[in-house]
Structures are given as C-alpha cells and as structure tokens.
Amino acid sequence: MKNFFFVFLLGIFTAFSSVAQQTIIKGSVKDAVTGELIPNVTITIEGTSQFTTTDASGEFVFTENVPLGEHVLSLSKSGYITARFPIVVNQAQTLEITDMFLKIDVSDSPDLFTITLSDDELNDDTSGADNISGLLSSSQDIFQRTAAFEFSSSFFRVRGLDSENGTVLMNGVEMNKMFNGRPQWSNWGGLNDVMRNQEFTTGLTPSAYNFGGILGTTNIDVRASHYRKGGRITYSSSNRSYTNRLMASYASGLVEGGWSYSLSIGRRWGDEGYQDATFYDANSFFVSVEKKINDKHSLNIAGVYAPNRRGKSSPNTQEVYDLKDIRYNEYWGWHDGEKRNSRIKRVEEPIVMLNHYWNLSEKTSLNTNFAYQWGELSNSRLDFGGGANPSPAYYQKLPSYFLADDDAPDLAGAYEAEQNFINNGQIDWNRIYDANLTNNASGNYAAYVLYEDRVDDSQFTANTIFSSELSENIVLNASLNYRNLKSENFAEIIDMLGSTTGYLNRDAFDGFAFDTNNPYFVASEGDKFRYNYNLFSKVYSGHVQALFKYNKIDFYVAGSYAKTEYQREGLFENGANIGNSFGKGSKVKFNGLGAKGGFTFKITGKHLIDINAAYLTKAPSLRNTFTNARSNHDIAGVVNGVNITGDEITEEKITSLDASYIFRSPLVNARLTGFYTKMQDANEVSFYYADGIGGFEDENGIVQTNEFVSEVLQGVDKKHIGAEFGIEAQVTPTIKLKGAASLGQYTYDNNPNFYLSVDDKVVTYGDGTTNLKDYKVSGGPQQAASIGFEYRDPDYWWFGATSNFFSKTYIDVSPVTRTSSFYLDPTDGLPLNDYDPNVARELLKQEQFDDYMVVNLVGGKSWKIGDYLVGFFATVNNLLNKEYKSGGFEQARNANYTELLEDVNNPKRLFGPKYWYGRGTTYFLNIYFRF
Amino acid sequence: MKNNINFMKTNRILNRALAIFAIMVITACVQDDDFTVPNSVGAEENEALQDMLNGNAEEVSILDLKAMYDNDPNNDNYHSDALPFQVDTNIYVKGYVSSSDLTGNFYEEIYIQDNFEDPTAAIKVIINQTDLNNKYNKGREVYINLIGLYIGEERTGNNVITIGAGTETDEYGTTVTSLGENLTNAKILRSSSTMELVPLTKTFSSITDEHIGMFVQVDGAEFEDDLNGLAYFDPIEDYDTQRTMQACEGSTYTTMILETSSYSNFKNEQLPTGNGSIAGIISKDYTGDTLIMALNTTDDVNMTEARCSL
C-alpha cells in the first residue's frame, strides 16, 4: 500500500516536473547568402513523426514529445537545397539553434517545364495533348521530377492520366478550369520566380487543402509573407516557343506594421519559336500584399495578370512533312513581306483573390478565400463562306490528290502541285484580300473573314479550409467550396480582310440562318456571329480528412462530396435546331462522391511500404457534357431532347489503387510503385472541322464540306495499369546518379456509345457503338525511361545530362472506322462483297510511333558578389536533334472498308493521319541576378 | 558610410536594370493585330497584263478564235475525229465575264463575251477552281493569253467552244481539260475594270448556237402551265433539272429550257407563275443537242405580270 502510494507520488512528481521543465528545441533558419531569415521552412526530426515549419520570422519551436539524445534535423523548402543538422537533445533543457543556413538550389529550375508546358498548348480543337509537368515540378520525388523535366517535351502523362485528374491551387483556391477540368498554366505564365513556393502531394496522398484527384494536388503559395526578402532579375534566351524573356521580382519580407508585399513583372516575346511563324507576345504582372493583423489573423490580397498572345502551329500529314520539314506550319502566309499567322491564341484572364488566415489556436487554423477570375480566351481562324478553302495544305492542293485521280494518275498536275507546295505552300493573303475586294465591286458579301472563337469566363470561388491537430497523432482537415461560373461563348469577326459589304450570318453550305431571330444579319468587325451561348456552372463541394501519424505507421482516410449543376443558355436560335437552341435549356445535375484511404508502413527507417486506394464519382466536365453547345442544348446521349443511346448521362467513376516500396538512406533514395486505375462511364467529346467526312452527304449524295463536327463517345471505360520506378544515388559528395522509368499499359476497356453530331443532324454508325476495346489510349509514350547524372561542384557550378528513352506512343484512332458499318455496304446494309478480314485487320491496326531517344543537358554557374548572387544556367534539349512523332490522329474521312482501302492503295494517301513532331535541338539560357 | 555606399550601389544597379528592362519592353515588338489591305494585291497580275499588252501579242476576236477549232473535220457530221486546236501563235482575246458561280449553278467554268453590251461572240473557259466569282466576277474585263492553250469542246459536237489547258481522249472523241492554278494565274488576266453587263434581248426562237456563252434576256416569258407549284430543281434528278419556258410569239408558244444544277442554292425556290423577263447564259444541255439557258441568279428573273394567253 505504501509502495503504491510512493510510486504514485513519484509518478505525479515526474509528470509535474516534465511539465514544468520541458525539453524544447527552437531556433531559426537563415539564407546562406543573404543571411535573411527564411519563413515556411519545413523542419523534421528525422526518424520521428515530428515536424514543424518556420513562421514568418523564420523561427520555429518543438515543444511536445521532443525525443532525447542524438538526432538530425532535416530542413527543406522549395527552391533550397535540403540540409541536415545533427543535434543533441538533453532532457528538460532548451536547445536553441540559430546558425542553420539553407542554400538556394540554383539548379531548381521550374523554368524548364514552364516553357514546354503552357507554351506548348496545341490546337484545342483536335488534340487531347496537354501537359502535367507543372503539377510535378516541385516534387522532391526523383521519378516525378524526371517526368516534369525530362519527359514533358514528349507529352508524357504520369500513369497515362490527363491533367484534369490533378488539381492546381493558388493559395488554396482551385485553378482548374470548369470547361475541361485542366489547369490553364498560361494564366500565370512568366511569373516563375514568384510561383516557386509549391507544395505537391502526389497521387492519392492526403493534401492539407483538398480531397484532390487521383494525380495529386499542387498548391502554389503566393502569400506575401512567405517570400524570401529580396529581389531578382532574370533574362532568358531560347528557341522553343519564345526567344526572349525578362522577369523582375521583389519581395519585402515582413516589414514594420506587419505588412509584407511581393511584386513581379515580366515579358516574354519572340518573332518565331521552333515552328515557323509561331510568334510569342506575353506580359505578366503579379502583386501580393499581406497584413498580419495580429497573432491570430492575417489577410492577404493577391492579383495575377498574364495576358499572352501566340501564333499556333499545325499538325500535318506525313506527305506534308516529307515535302517540307518538321517546322512547317500551314497557318501562316506572307502579308506585304511579313509572316502573318491566321491562328492566334490569346489569353487575358486576370485573377484576384482575398485570403484570410485565422489561427484559432496553436493547433487549429481556418483559411477562408475569395477569388474572382474574368477575361477572354480567344482562338482566331479564317472563315471562307464565299471562297475556296484557304488552307495551303488542303488535300486538293497536294500531289496525292492528283495521283489519286479516278481515270489515271495526273502526273503533270501532281508535279505542279508538288512544286507549288515546296516553293510556297503557305496562305495566300493577297488572294484572300483580292477575293473580298472583287466582291466589293460585285456588291457581294465577303468571301473571307478572320474571326475568333471566344470564351469569356467570369468565375467566382469561395472556400474555407479547416485544419486541426486533434492530438499529437491526429490531424483533421476539412473544407467547403463554392464555385460559380458564367462562360460566354461566341464567335466574333476581328478583321473584314478588305470587305466593305459585310458577312452574311447564314450557313454557307446548307443555307440556314445561324440566328433565326435575326435571319439576314450582316456581320462586320466586332459583331458576334455563327454561334452565341452561355454556360452556367455551379459546384458545391466539401471534404473531410483524418490523418494518423504513429511511429510505425501513418494512415489516413478521407471523404468528399460535390454537387454540380450545369445549364446552357442559347442567345441565337440556330436555324437547324429550332426549339432546341434559344433560351435556357434544362439543368443537368450531378452528385460526386469520393472516398480514399491509405497507409504508410515503416518497416524500418529505411524501408517503407505505401498503399493507397480510392473510389470516386465525378461529374463530367462542361466540355464532355454538352455535345454541340454551339448549336443546341444537347448533352451526351441526347439529341433534340430524346435519348438516342439508351444510356443517361452519368457521373464518371474512378477506381484507383497503388502500392509502393520506398527505400531511403543518406546516399540512396528509391521508389518502386505499381498502380491500377479504372475509369468508367466517362464521356469524350471532341470537335473538328470535317472536310468531306463520310456520313454527311446531303440528299443529293454531295458530301458536305467545312462542317463543324462533334464526335461523341459516351460511357467510355479505360484501364491503366503499370509500374513506376525512380532512384537517385549520391555516389560521391559531388556526383549524383539518377534513373527513372515508367512502364504502363493504358487501354480502352469497353465499346462505348458513339455518334457524330453536326448542326442539323446526327449520324450513328452500325449499332451505335464503336469497337474500341483493347485499343491503346493515345497521349504520350506509355513507356519512358531516363538515366543520368548531376555533378555539383563546390565552386558553385553544376552540370548534368540525361538520356531518355520513349516507346509505345500510339495514334489517336478514329472511332468512325471501328464501327460495324465499316464492313457493311451503305446502300443495303449487307457485308461488302470484297471484304477481306485479314486486310481489314491491317487497315485498322493502331499505328505505334517509332521508339526514340532524347539526350538533354543542363548546367550552370553562380557567383556571389558582395551581397548579390549572379548566375546563369542553360539547358539543351534533344542534343542529338532526333526527329520523332510526339502525337497524331487518324482523320475521319474514310468511313468504310472500301474507301479506306482505296485511300491506302493510292500512290500517296489523301487522308492519311496528321502528326505532331517533337522539336529538334532547342536551348534555353537563363541569366539571373539576385539581390 | 559603408551602408550608404551599398545602398547607392544597389540603386545604381537597380536603375540600370530597370533601364535595360524598359528598353527591351519597348523594342520587343512582335506581330501585332493591325493589318490592312496588302500593297501588293494585284501587282503581279497587273504586271503580267502590261507585259502582254506592251509586248508582241496580237489581239484576236472571240469569233475568230472559235473558228480556229473545227469540230467536224470531214464535214460528215461525225465529231469523234475532231481535235482541239492548240494555239501556237502569240495571240490573246479580250472579253467580259458573263457568268457567275456565286449561286452554285456554274461550277469550275466561266463564260466570256466580247462586249459588255451588244456582244457578238462568247466562249467558255474551264478552270479547276471553285468560287471563281470572287476573282473573275461578272462584268470583269479579262484578257486571255492564249499561246499554248487549247480550243475545243468538252463534249465533241455540242458547239460549246471552250478554252482549256490540255486534251484527253476517250471513245467519244478528244476533249479539252481544265486550266490548273498556275496556268490560270499566268494566262487569264484581269484588268481593274468591271462593267455592268447589258443583257442581249432576244426571243426564244431567235436564239442560236452563236449566242452560246452570252448573257441573254428574253421578255414576255413564263414557265409552262404544268410547272405551277414546282421548284427550279426536281429532287428526283441527280444533277440538272430542265424546266421549259414559253413565250407567246404570235399564235404559238416558243419554248426554251431553263437548266438548273443540283448544286445551286436557289434550287428549292418556287418557279414564278407570272410572265416577264428572264436573263441567263445560253449553253447546251449534257447531250449537246439542245440549247438551254442557265441562271446566274434568280434576281435576273422578273415574272410578275399576268401570264400571256394564246
């Protein structure tokens, strides 16, 4: 009894003393060059689950559960080289360390990705190409960094997934566009220096900000107080998309009165990038101001504006590439001695946001944000209502057309066409103006106009993000989100090209009015024509997430819900869709649910196992919901109010699993992952201009030209399985070897519903489905590998090289030829007489592009001059100037076996696939000055 | 003191940097949006025309040009042995475009007549291009540099004399083929003048092969009684629809066929039921046996009076 009491007292006494005499580690982190305190540095006590971050004053403290004895503090922050400091912790003592320094990582070059990224957006009408590297560039994982920097110019997709599966946030506000779900990187292009604070959580791993998609979440931190005090001026020279870039930025750090601000301006420009006539003209502006109201509240205002204009370049058939070269671009022509590109993309979409940070307690915080984005997104092109197709690579102008003559190959015509194309082969602006001037004299409407397809979005976002450390092992996150979009879509004439008579707002081929409310409207510069509609979208969502961190195991579980509502409002009554075009259509509603969970099991400090699983249902994007928004209210599966496929539009379902083995040691880091993703019930709506597309003959058998076609796939299933591997080894203090690989197989997993929708009709083929099962998904190489090294000299210069191998890139197949009508005679529906299944198999084989290897170099040096840092770095991509196809698509022209066989048997194919080629050798040189 | 110097150094560096920045922004211009009508529009064509007119080329009349081709070499009414005439002397013709493919009734062809009013001869030219009306517009004065080109027919014996670039032969005879882009740009040269064509007034009975290609007007015409309520084009037909027009000449009807292509954009318009004037291009039907009239546009049809009655 007495013993018990004594032990009890001892216990209380010990407990008391441990409260009264805490073991504390505290200190600050400074910049190795400038000596300034660095905020937002992540400090981890290695081997434990303890971590914290330095505050705005660069200071940190560990007060709870501080482990005793010898330990190592690991310091990391994006933009800095991770550093490790050994410490000794004694019980009930305060350990103060103020001499920890971090060095700027001069090889940290998000610039590498930004060039190939936002500037490489291809023609949105026809390609699904997009880029995910911006999502990954801030990752510390060697595989992801390789994917971001080495694989991006090949349009590699991590796990074959489209960038809509990853979320990009800025100060907690989602930046992905509601139209197609993808982040629009050009909205903040040219602001690299102030967009460096990025926090990336990969795949399904829990993010502090949202539930996220299956590809991960990147949060770009633009909070003014989180910037390192000082300024930076950067000049760059390149031959990729722009030729020159100038950026200047300055951050104040925390100043008197609790204020801090950060500014950046920049310009990127160039007359011509790698492809001909791809000019670049962009300016960037950024400002962020924060006021620390008191210890609990802080308010930040940020504005981003990056207006940019660039000339686009065309995908071309092999015949065209062979006659010209891989820089050839059919979109431009000479205009009084100047290269004038007819297809210009213009993005001017400023963002303003207000962020409120509230530390309810030391463990709980609430971040509330309001953001508003508005502006214009435009793509220009020529319309030819009264003239011949102005495209210099129109199939009727190429040698193949003359060689395919019904009677006999017209060799003379083919030769003339070939010489014309080689010697010229560009848009004839003089002819276009002459046609309009001639029509002025005749009193006829314009034959040609230059117009832009406009998307003017106004989007308001409000959200609140809650985070609380419930105990030392449990963190709770939650969020509520509201997004409201009004998207105004219309075509507007931007240049009458010499015409004074105007342009009739009626379909030139079918003769119906684009707006029966104004059936004979004559449009001029600045007028809306062709189509005019609004899309409204509202999303209400929320998520809850719990993270558990223990010694041996970390695990998490999270759930989310999203209510999505879309509605179309037609402002024109399209003459071919009367009754289904003007006014507000029905609302389309979706409910999205998500659940995910996973754990990381630490076998030892060196060996970890990480497993994640998720199941989500999500609303299709606006683009994949409205099948023909320019003309009518139709949604996937529905035509003129009537369901034609038998399947109602529904949420997309995604099942995702991954398992990784991770090895960590001071010298070697490695990860091996296996993944499985199954997507079901997705819609894919793509648009293109058909020229003579099969199935669109009018009643006289005349094939319509220049129809704007929507290709609708409904209920698409895909299966992505594969493995990723990454390893980096610091073999000597100065040399690091690295390697990464991704081997995957991404295929269609069913035969989805398929139909084509044009202004006034819908065409179904066979039984309404297309046989896509087991065809490979197009979009980047399904297999990629990289090996390389980095050398860092203590004298502040560095050099690296990688060899990258790509294979299994597949062409985008045309669904039209994979339907059962392929082998049926269109007149009687019976199998074609001459149908040979072996030949058909050859014709329908999916083209796989050649394997190729690309060598990249990178290097740089920096000098410290007094308090300033000056340096340069340069990269050379594709050193060996390898020519390779990076993507392509089959043209939809030949609808059945007979037509396709005839085309293939021509001396040269008329309607062969169109391809994009990767760039040859390109360089990027960056010179910077930091103060 | 040292701090002051540092500050001034920063300031100077900053100033220089900002100056460089400003210069680069100002001088860094790329393609802007302000384009106007190019100065070089029509320059090449004008030059080619001046060269031809000031050179050794001689003008011939359209009538004389047509006579260079004989579609019945043995005078035996047998046309399969006719051969297109290849022009081997440096001659040119001048004419005014009489047809227009704006409505789609004509396709890859133009007719030119020797005068914009009171024409005496006309000829056809076949060109491998669509939308010719935005270049060779109706009423445009054109010159055709003929050396190397062929004069013949597209169907031997139909008397629609045509200028072409080459020939092709089948079991029916040797016909001419279209001019391609290069040849068209080099040979068919426009002057800057566009004239208002005055239609040649004729009666149905007085129209003959010599009027082929001319812009002709007939007054007092109406469509046959049994065509009431029908359109210019009959959907059953594949290519062209023939509609008979009649005029009251004395005690009988004289008739002529109006031919409308399935590609024309007025094909579904109702035939007028009244009486009045109609103007179009004279040509032959597909077989070459019958004279027909083809419209440039239904604006040239003014049948609003009461029908004539016999």
Side-chain angles (χ1 to χ4, degrees):
Chain A
M1 198 54 193
K2 218 165 147 192
N3 281 346
F4 172 78
F5 185 68
F6 185 70
V7 168
F8 180 65
L9 272 176
L10 198 59
I12 294 176
F13 184 72
T14 320
F16 241 71
S17 64
S18 66
V19 166
Q21 294 165 40
Q22 270 180 304
T23 314
I24 294 175
I25 306 174
K26 66 182 210 177
S28 57
V29 182
K30 298 195 188 76
D31 183 299
V33 172
T34 65
E36 300 286 344
L37 293 156
I38 310 174
N40 220 30
V41 178
T42 304
I43 307 185
T44 314
I45 305 179
E46 282 185 10
T48 76
S49 58
Q50 299 263 356
F51 71 93
T52 186
T53 54
T54 57
D55 60 17
S57 319
E59 291 169 356
F60 71 95
V61 63
F62 287 97
T63 52
E64 302 228 328
N65 267 355
V66 179
L68 305 176
E70 287 179 11
H71 287 278
V72 175
L73 288 182
S74 171
L75 280 62
S76 69
K77 181 173 178 177
S78 174
Y80 292 90
I81 301 175
T82 301
R84 300 167 72 244
F85 291 91
I87 54 170
V88 179
V89 187
N90 296 314
Q91 183 163 15
Q93 286 191 2
T94 300
L95 176 63
E96 181 157 356
I97 326 157
T98 52
D99 59 352
M100 293 194 293
F101 293 92
L102 281 185
K103 291 184 190 169
I104 289 274
D105 185 354
V106 296
S107 75
D108 179 30
S109 39
D111 310 339
L112 286 170
F113 76 85
T114 316
I115 299 150
T116 47
L117 231 211
S118 59
D119 312 346
D120 270 15
E121 285 149 2
L122 300 174
N123 188 331
D124 291 334
D125 293 345
T126 53
S127 87
D130 82 311
N131 215 303
I132 41 72
S133 53
L135 197 65
L136 307 177
S137 61
S138 65
S139 167
Q140 301 296 319
D141 174 89
I142 184 61
F143 172 77
Q144 280 148 7
R145 292 175 67 79
T146 306
F149 297 140
E150 317 290 349
F151 296 167
S152 61
S153 54
S154 292
F155 296 100
F156 172 78
R157 289 185 178 178
V158 171
R159 303 183 186 178
L161 298 171
D162 188 288
S163 68
E164 64 168 333
N165 291 294
T167 318
V168 175
L169 311 170
M170 192 179 288
N171 271 8
V173 177
E174 185 170 335
M175 291 286 118
N176 294 46
K177 288 273 179 184
M178 291 221 246
F179 175 67
N180 56 10
R182 295 175 175 172
Q184 175 84 260
W185 294 91
S186 61
N187 282 165
W188 54 87
L191 295 169
N192 307 49
D193 289 340
V194 290
M195 299 283 160
R196 282 172 189 271
N197 283 352
Q198 293 185 15
E199 204 181 305
F200 174 62
T201 44
T202 176
L204 299 171
T205 44
S207 160
Y209 306 96
N210 67 352
F211 183 84
I214 55 177
L215 204 45
T217 300
T218 294
N219 180 49
I220 305 174
D221 182 346
V222 299
R223 224 177 129 175
S225 63
H226 285 185
Y227 287 95
R228 181 190 61 84
K229 178 181 152 105
R232 188 173 166 130
I233 297 182
T234 307
Y235 170 73
S236 318
S237 162
S238 170
N239 69 344
R240 290 180 188 164
S241 35
Y242 50 80
T243 52
N244 304 280
R245 178 180 68 172
L246 201 50
M247 300 190 294
S249 58
Y250 182 75
S252 67
L254 202 56
V255 296
E256 226 175 84
W259 289 93
S260 45
Y261 61 86
S262 174
L263 310 160
S264 181
I265 53 174
R267 175 156 174 72
R268 293 161 292 161
W269 72 98
D271 269 339
E272 209 164 54
Y274 188 76
Q275 278 84 13
D276 296 332
T278 49
F279 74 87
Y280 206 96
D281 180 14
N283 295 306
S284 329
F285 308 94
F286 170 81
V287 64
S288 181
V289 177
E290 184 172 350
K291 164 88 170 123
K292 191 170 161 180
I293 299 168
N294 54 40
D295 275 341
K296 288 205 182 287
H297 294 270
S298 193
L299 207 56
N300 191 86
I301 287 189
V304 178
Y305 183 44
N308 60 80
R309 276 172 65 230
R310 59 185 184 89
K312 302 202 286 198
S313 67
S314 59
N316 306 302
T317 58
Q318 194 58 54
E319 178 186 14
V320 167
Y321 278 121
D322 292 339
L323 288 169
K324 289 281 197 180
D325 58 36
I326 64 174
R327 290 180 190 255
Y328 174 72
N329 179 8
E330 66 155 282
Y331 296 153
W332 70 274
W334 292 106
H335 182 119
D336 270 346
E338 223 185 290
K339 284 187 181 173
R340 182 178 181 185
N341 193 321
S342 64
R343 302 239 183 148
I344 297 174
K345 184 178 183 121
R346 184 170 63 87
V347 181
E348 290 168 20
E349 296 182 308
I351 307 166
V352 289
M353 61 172 75
L354 181 67
N355 316 102
H356 174 241
Y357 301 94
W358 182 7
N359 294 332
L360 288 108
S361 75
E362 230 174 71
K363 302 187 194 285
T364 306
S365 68
L366 191 69
N367 165 228
T368 306
N369 307 296
F370 300 95
Y372 184 64
Q373 181 172 32
W374 72 101
E376 301 177 4
L377 195 154
S378 115
N379 285 283
S380 74
R381 65 190 296 141
L382 284 166
D383 196 16
F384 47 100
N389 191 325
S391 159
Y394 184 50
Y395 77 97
Q396 292 182 8
K397 294 191 187 155
L398 296 175
S400 55
Y401 179 70
F402 294 91
L403 294 175
D405 199 289
D406 281 336
D407 303 323
D410 177 0
L411 296 170
Y415 180 73
E416 182 181 310
E418 182 197 65
Q419 291 304 301
N420 280 351
F421 191 73
I422 291 175
N423 296 328
N424 186 1
Q426 306 296 156
I427 287 182
D428 191 347
W429 285 106
N430 279 3
R431 175 78 270 273
I432 288 171
Y433 277 91
D434 179 58
N436 280 358
L437 294 173
T438 304
N439 280 13
N440 285 347
S442 314
N444 292 330
Y445 297 121
Y448 298 91
V449 286
L450 187 67
Y451 74 98
E452 53 184 13
D453 287 314
R454 282 267 291 275
V455 179
D456 290 2
D457 284 351
S458 333
Q459 179 170 313
F460 172 71
T461 309
N463 73 358
T464 181
I465 305 170
F466 172 81
S467 174
S468 179
E469 241 179 81
L470 296 183
S471 76
E472 74 177 61
N473 302 107
I474 307 180
V475 173
L476 183 72
N477 287 315
S479 76
L480 287 173
N481 235 286
Y482 170 68
R483 281 192 298 163
N484 186 330
L485 167 73
K486 177 183 181 188
S487 178
E488 294 171 62
N489 297 262
F490 53 91
E492 182 178 301
I493 296 182
I494 53 176
D495 194 334
M496 290 302 293
L497 302 177
S499 167
T500 53
T501 47
Y503 197 68
L504 193 59
N505 192 22
R506 296 179 75 88
D507 185 297
F509 301 97
D510 293 324
F512 61 82
F514 285 121
D515 183 14
T516 56
N517 292 330
N518 208 340
Y520 292 96
F521 177 63
V522 179
S524 274
E525 203 171 300
D527 286 333
K528 296 185 174 137
F529 78 127
R530 292 184 76 96
Y531 63 88
N532 190 358
Y533 65 93
N534 295 331
L535 289 177
F536 297 99
S537 169
K538 292 194 192 33
V539 181
Y540 307 82
S541 60
H543 93 287
V544 179
Q545 173 174 282
L547 298 149
F548 304 87
K549 282 188 188 300
Y550 297 99
N551 268 345
K552 271 292 196 187
I553 189 167
D554 294 341
F555 62 95
Y556 69 93
V557 67
S560 75
Y561 170 70
K563 179 167 120 116
T564 307
E565 195 179 280
Y566 298 143
Q567 187 177 39
R568 177 186 179 275
E569 179 185 29
L571 301 174
F572 279 178
E573 172 93 80
N574 182 288
N577 290 276
I578 296 181
N580 190 26
S581 181
F582 184 72
K584 291 204 166 160
S586 332
K587 288 193 185 174
V588 191
K589 300 188 190 181
F590 301 97
N591 290 303
L593 290 167
K596 66 178 184 179
F599 64 86
T600 309
F601 180 67
K602 304 164 209 175
I603 306 173
T604 73
K606 280 192 185 180
H607 306 270
L608 299 102
I609 301 260
D610 182 76
I611 297 190
N612 301 284
Y615 179 75
L616 6 144
T617 67
K618 64 180 213 186
S621 63
L622 278 170
R623 181 204 173 103
N624 289 330
T625 299
F626 293 99
T627 51
N628 200 350
R630 290 185 179 185
S631 311
N632 56 43
H633 296 315
D634 289 343
I635 58 175
V638 170
V639 172
N640 228 338
V642 175
N643 183 293
I644 62 162
T645 58
D647 292 314
E648 295 289 322
I649 193 170
T650 180
E651 293 82 359
E652 184 182 333
K653 286 127 195 116
I654 303 178
T655 308
S656 180
L657 294 162
D658 64 67
S660 311
Y661 162 70
I662 300 164
F663 176 81
R664 280 202 304 228
S665 76
L667 293 180
V668 179
N669 280 331
R671 172 171 70 83
L672 178 66
T673 304
F675 60 87
Y676 168 86
T677 305
K678 170 119 176 165
M679 290 162 287
Q680 293 165 288
D681 292 333
N683 300 327
E684 284 179 22
V685 182
S686 48
F687 309 98
Y688 49 84
Y689 282 91
D691 204 306
I693 188 175
F696 286 97
E697 289 86 17
D698 67 6
E699 59 268 26
N700 296 317
I702 297 154
V703 175
Q704 302 298 307
T705 57
N706 200 37
E707 289 277 13
F708 183 71
V709 174
S710 284
E711 186 183 271
V712 182
L713 289 169
Q714 185 200 23
V716 181
D717 291 354
K718 293 195 215 169
K719 186 168 69 178
H720 294 209
I721 53 176
E724 290 169 355
F725 175 69
I727 185 165
E728 53 182 347
Q730 194 75 46
V731 292
T732 77
T734 51
I735 299 181
K736 185 195 315 198
L737 296 180
K738 50 189 187 177
S742 174
L743 303 173
Q745 182 178 270
Y746 317 132
T747 56
Y748 286 94
D749 210 35
N750 73 340
N751 298 326
N753 295 329
F754 167 66
Y755 61 93
L756 298 179
S757 172
V758 193
D759 272 319
D760 57 346
K761 56 172 94 63
V762 160
V763 181
T764 53
Y765 296 83
D767 61 358
T769 67
T770 177
N771 297 314
L772 289 185
K773 187 166 188 342
D774 294 334
Y775 271 99
K776 305 286 194 305
V777 175
S778 73
Q782 296 197 3
Q783 290 186 0
S786 171
I787 50 167
F789 73 90
E790 280 174 23
Y791 173 77
R792 263 173 222 272
D793 193 281
D795 240 346
Y796 291 108
W797 63 272
W798 49 283
F799 174 75
T802 55
S803 240
N804 306 282
F805 310 89
F806 301 95
S807 75
K808 300 216 186 328
T809 310
Y810 296 92
I811 202 163
D812 195 5
V813 297
S814 163
V816 174
T817 42
R818 274 79 182 177
T819 63
S820 57
S821 69
F822 179 69
Y823 59 86
L824 299 176
D825 189 322
T827 55
D828 57 17
L830 297 172
L832 292 160
N833 284 340
D834 55 346
Y835 183 75
D836 180 346
N838 291 322
V839 174
R841 198 165 296 119
E842 272 307 301
L843 291 175
L844 297 180
K845 210 161 113 169
Q846 182 174 28
E847 183 182 343
Q848 181 184 331
F849 302 143
D850 291 337
D851 300 348
Y852 59 95
M853 177 177 91
V854 167
V855 174
N856 299 332
L857 303 177
V858 71
K861 178 149 175 56
S862 66
W863 297 265
K864 187 161 166 220
I865 302 172
D867 280 345
Y868 311 120
L869 187 70
V870 177
F872 77 91
F873 74 81
T875 75
V876 175
N877 250 56
N878 197 356
L879 179 70
L880 305 178
N881 204 20
K882 177 85 187 159
E883 235 176 65
Y884 61 91
K885 289 180 183 155
S886 55
F889 56 95
E890 290 177 358
Q891 294 196 69
R893 175 62 172 82
N894 301 301
N896 65 27
Y897 175 84
T898 313
E899 284 175 19
L900 184 56
L901 186 58
E902 191 184 313
D903 192 30
V904 167
N905 284 339
N906 278 327
K908 267 193 151 48
R909 282 195 71 172
L910 266 68
F911 300 105
K914 288 201 173 178
Y915 303 106
W916 283 278
Y917 272 82
R919 293 180 174 143
T921 308
T922 58
Y923 77 91
F924 184 76
L925 171 68
N926 214 40
I927 303 167
Y928 57 89
F929 168 64
R930 247 189 62 196
F931 55 94
Chain B
M1 200 51 191
K2 188 167 184 214
N3 281 341
N4 273 347
I5 292 174
N6 278 343
F7 175 70
M8 276 160 62
K9 230 165 62 171
T10 315
N11 226 10
R12 231 183 300 140
I13 293 174
L14 259 175
N15 279 343
R16 282 211 197 104
L18 282 168
I20 299 170
F21 189 89
I23 292 168
M24 295 202 107
V25 169
I26 292 164
T27 57
C29 286
V30 297
Q31 173 185 338
D32 61 51
D33 281 334
D34 286 324
F35 287 97
T36 53
V37 179
N39 295 324
S40 48
V41 173
E44 220 176 286
E45 197 179 358
N46 274 337
E47 207 183 303
L49 180 61
Q50 294 315 312
D51 282 349
M52 183 187 81
L53 295 176
N54 297 332
N56 297 328
E58 251 183 61
E59 183 175 350
V60 298
S61 71
I62 292 183
L63 203 57
D64 288 344
L65 181 64
K66 287 165 84 163
M68 294 184 192
Y69 167 65
D70 183 0
N71 72 358
D72 189 1
N74 298 321
N75 279 326
D76 55 2
N77 274 329
Y78 186 60
H79 305 287
S80 309
D81 55 350
L83 287 177
F85 174 77
Q86 183 174 27
V87 175
D88 52 3
T89 50
N90 202 355
I91 55 172
Y92 68 89
V93 281
K94 176 186 112 160
Y96 293 85
V97 179
S98 56
S99 66
S100 164
D101 62 1
L102 181 68
T103 58
N105 208 18
F106 295 99
Y107 179 72
E108 295 190 348
E109 61 200 338
I110 57 171
Y111 288 90
I112 64 171
Q113 54 187 51
D114 59 357
N115 213 324
F116 62 91
E117 62 182 348
D118 299 322
T120 61
I123 194 168
K124 180 174 177 178
V125 189
I126 46 175
I127 302 170
N128 194 7
Q129 273 172 44
T130 58
D131 299 287
L132 290 165
N133 70 89
N134 68 33
K135 186 169 182 195
Y136 303 111
N137 50 319
K138 181 174 155 206
R140 192 63 170 262
E141 183 183 58
V142 297
Y143 294 78
I144 304 183
N145 185 340
L146 292 162
I147 187 167
L149 299 182
Y150 289 79
I151 317 298
E153 286 160 323
E154 278 178 289
R155 187 188 171 93
T156 50
N158 72 355
N159 275 339
V160 180
I161 313 297
T162 306
I163 301 174
T167 61
E168 62 184 7
T169 310
D170 60 18
E171 63 264 40
Y172 301 111
T174 307
T175 53
V176 289
T177 57
S178 299
L179 274 77
E181 190 185 334
N182 286 6
L183 216 47
T184 307
N185 292 341
K187 298 283 192 184
I188 309 180
L189 307 166
R190 302 169 292 167
S191 84
S192 51
S193 145
T194 296
M195 303 298 289
E196 177 89 34
L197 285 188
V198 177
L200 185 67
T201 307
K202 305 291 298 176
T203 61
F204 284 140
S205 53
S206 65
I207 296 175
T208 66
D209 278 10
E210 77 178 59
H211 300 111
I212 289 175
M214 292 186 200
F215 184 51
V216 165
Q217 177 173 314
V218 176
D219 297 325
E222 63 195 22
F223 285 96
E224 275 191 343
D225 304 334
D226 58 355
L227 297 177
N228 193 349
L230 297 183
Y232 281 91
F233 186 76
D234 181 353
I236 275 183
E237 303 273 3
D238 284 331
Y239 296 108
D240 300 308
T241 295
Q242 297 186 338
R243 297 295 193 207
T244 310
M245 305 177 284
Q246 61 193 21
C248 306
E249 280 182 47
S251 55
T252 55
Y253 284 124
T254 50
T255 61
M256 184 159 196
I257 288 174
L258 183 78
E259 198 169 83
T260 302
S261 160
S262 60
Y263 294 89
S264 65
N265 68 8
F266 59 82
K267 66 184 193 220
N268 291 324
E269 277 179 44
Q270 290 258 307
L271 293 169
T273 51
N275 182 297
S277 68
I278 184 167
I281 307 296
I282 305 299
S283 187
K284 285 284 183 67
D285 72 342
Y286 180 68
T287 62
D289 297 330
T290 320
L291 279 170
I292 55 111
M293 179 190 280
L295 290 171
N296 282 335
T297 159
T298 48
D299 292 348
D300 290 337
V301 180
N302 273 312
M303 294 173 172
T304 49
E305 309 290 319
R307 293 173 77 81
C308 69
S309 39
L310 281 182

